[in-house]
Amino acid sequence: MPDPTRPLRPFQRLRDVPRRLAAGRRDPVVVQSVRSTGAAVLAYVVALRLSDEPAPLTAPLTALLVVQVTLYSTLTTGVRRVNSVVAGVLVAIGFSALVGLTWWSLGLVILASLVVGHLVRVDEFVPEVAISAMLVLGVTRVADTAWDRVLETLIGAVVGLAFNLLFAPPLWVEPAGRAIDDLAARMAALMTGMADELTGRTTVAEAATRLHEARRLDNDIAGVDAALRQAEDSLRMNPRVREGLMFRLVLRTGLDTLEICAVVLRVSARALTDLAKARADEPLFSPAVTRALQDLFGHMALAVHSFSRLITAQVTANAEEQEDRLTRELGMARDSRDLLARLLLEQLHTSPAHWQLHGALLADVDRVLDELDVDKRSQRLMEELDRHSRLRHEAGTRLHRALRRAARR
């Protein structure tokens, strides 16, 4: 008789299916896989009706290359991808009319394709010229039928572009926001860990561990930057978004601020590690200084968390709430910083040997608090808006001058 208290794992897995499907709809890998598959199949069906080839595989190949995860990347890279495929097909046509497929002809095809790719300026898609030429040469031995590959390429390109225009890719702002929140959470955890290790005698190994954690933030920032670039591309040229520029600038300036704070944290961890080496047989600070520093790091951790929530907030009321919370945390952090400065100044008379490290630690705290300040964030955002407006005006002026020169000619 089965145990009634034992969990029914198959039923639990079935209940988890809707949640996993909902999560998959927000996963860029899943969405791109489904969209690429649909575009490739549609291109193959259209090519079957318009081409004389029994298996027009060049059309789905081109559609697979053209369809991107965002509409902006499709429009900006689609032309170069189509050029790369067409160039590869033309190279394969020339070789199929002259020679068969041997080891030396394959080498010549690859070399010629790479040279042609650089000549037609397809940039990062130069290898795709050689790939397309090899695929076409492998299935096409007669020049008369090779021209059908050009038609299939055009069909795949048109279907791929139309697919992304009719079925616009989703916005990737939410994954970018989650990545920024995760980065802020790791930074806050690092600050909390740095505060916790101040209790008692801090060993050099413990301080070095925090320093390595601070250094690993660089890799985390690189991953967040990639997610943010994808979100920025999804906002560009998207008809469903009216304030795309504002969203992009808010997220980008927010990540810039967190990146500066991560660098400052790494410097602070370095200072604490050096202080642990210098004071190997005694605590780093007096009990009063330790409590003030722990309070300061705690408020800074909460401020970083509130800052990430502020820049990723999508609702105005929520943004105002996070801004008020950030202002309160920064105010309490500055009070703790002032108390810490007074205590360190008093300690300077009894232990003047490490005043450089104490001063560097206070300077790092000031830099983090200044970067997280609400007014500083607004100022940086306005500067970016002015810069984009100036660039847009300059681009319009250049276009107007070009049109005037063309009219004169």
Side-chain angles (χ1 to χ4, degrees):
M1 183 176 179
D3 188 0
T5 62
R6 187 175 182 178
L8 300 178
R9 295 182 178 178
F11 293 100
Q12 289 180 349
R13 293 176 180 175
L14 289 176
R15 287 196 297 266
D16 291 340
V17 169
R19 179 178 57 82
R20 294 177 180 176
L21 291 177
R25 293 178 57 187
R26 297 188 296 268
D27 189 349
V29 176
V30 175
V31 173
Q32 177 63 11
S33 300
V34 174
R35 291 173 55 80
S36 298
T37 302
V41 172
L42 182 60
Y44 181 75
V45 173
V46 174
L48 282 176
R49 295 181 176 274
L50 300 180
S51 176
D52 296 332
E53 287 292 317
L57 296 178
T58 309
L61 168 66
T62 308
L64 195 65
L65 296 175
V66 169
V67 174
Q68 298 297 302
V69 71
T70 64
L71 181 61
Y72 176 77
S73 59
T74 298
L75 296 176
T76 54
T77 65
V79 176
R80 295 200 302 275
R81 285 184 178 272
V82 171
N83 288 341
S84 65
V85 176
V86 172
V89 170
L90 293 178
V91 171
I93 288 175
F95 275 87
S96 64
L98 300 176
V99 296
L101 180 59
T102 60
W103 65 269
W104 58 268
S105 64
L106 179 63
L108 289 177
V109 167
I110 295 175
L111 179 60
S113 300
L114 295 178
V115 173
V116 170
H118 287 287
L119 291 177
V120 298
R121 300 181 181 275
V122 293
D123 298 336
E124 69 270 24
F125 304 125
V126 170
E128 294 185 5
V129 181
I131 293 173
S132 302
M134 286 188 294
L135 291 176
V136 174
L137 187 63
V139 299
T140 303
R141 302 294 180 84
V142 183
D144 295 337
T145 60
W147 286 104
D148 291 333
R149 305 298 176 184
V150 178
L151 175 62
E152 297 170 15
T153 302
L154 296 177
I155 293 174
V158 172
V159 171
L161 292 174
F163 190 88
N164 254 12
L165 290 175
L166 295 177
F167 304 98
L171 300 177
W172 299 114
V173 177
E174 184 178 351
R178 289 199 303 267
I180 291 177
D181 285 337
D182 292 341
L183 173 62
R186 286 188 289 269
M187 293 174 60
L190 175 61
M191 293 179 185
T192 305
M194 293 169 63
D196 293 339
E197 72 181 11
L198 296 176
T199 304
R201 189 175 65 86
T202 304
T203 63
V204 177
E206 293 173 346
T209 300
R210 299 302 176 189
L211 178 58
H212 291 311
E213 292 179 4
R215 288 171 176 170
R216 283 197 295 269
L217 289 176
D218 293 338
N219 297 329
D220 299 334
I221 291 174
V224 177
D225 182 69
L228 184 53
R229 286 198 304 271
Q230 182 173 271
E232 291 172 339
D233 289 345
S234 69
L235 291 170
R236 289 189 176 98
M237 299 181 181
N238 197 313
R240 296 180 297 173
V241 181
R242 294 184 178 180
E243 299 293 337
L245 177 61
M246 180 60 70
F247 282 130
R248 298 202 317 264
L249 294 183
V250 167
L251 293 177
R252 176 56 63 182
T253 54
L255 179 60
D256 292 341
T257 299
L258 291 179
E259 184 176 3
I260 295 174
C261 293
V263 174
V264 176
L265 280 179
R266 185 168 69 244
V267 177
S268 300
R270 176 80 265 180
L272 291 177
T273 303
D274 294 339
L275 192 60
K277 292 178 181 179
R279 304 174 66 92
D281 299 330
E282 54 184 333
L284 298 185
F285 304 100
S286 64
V289 173
T290 299
R291 289 192 297 271
L293 195 56
Q294 287 176 336
D295 291 340
L296 175 59
F297 278 146
H299 291 306
M300 288 173 58
L302 293 176
V304 168
H305 181 71
S306 298
F307 179 82
S308 69
R309 291 297 180 89
L310 173 62
I311 63 177
T312 57
Q314 301 298 319
V315 183
T316 304
N318 190 20
E320 293 178 354
E321 178 184 352
Q322 296 299 332
E323 184 173 339
D324 294 339
R325 183 176 301 177
L326 174 61
T327 303
R328 289 196 303 270
E329 293 297 338
L330 289 176
M332 290 185 287
R334 290 190 176 95
D335 293 339
S336 300
R337 185 266 175 206
D338 294 338
L339 175 61
L340 177 64
R342 290 195 298 270
L343 294 175
L344 288 177
L345 184 60
E346 295 174 359
Q347 187 175 333
L348 177 62
H349 301 289
T350 58
S351 179
H354 308 297
W355 66 270
Q356 299 97 330
L357 296 176
H358 295 169
L361 189 59
L362 283 177
D364 295 338
V365 169
D366 291 339
R367 181 64 186 276
V368 171
L369 297 180
D370 180 65
E371 291 295 331
L372 296 177
D373 189 73
V374 176
D375 295 334
K376 180 68 173 292
R377 169 182 172 271
S378 301
Q379 178 183 358
R380 180 173 296 174
L381 188 59
M382 292 303 298
E383 291 175 353
E384 287 296 316
L385 284 172
D386 292 339
R387 187 177 67 87
H388 278 267
S389 299
R390 186 171 59 256
L391 292 176
R392 188 181 305 172
H393 176 71
E394 292 175 356
T397 303
R398 288 194 298 268
L399 178 60
H400 180 66
R401 291 175 180 175
L403 292 176
R404 288 180 60 184
R405 286 196 299 267
R408 291 175 182 176
R409 292 177 184 177

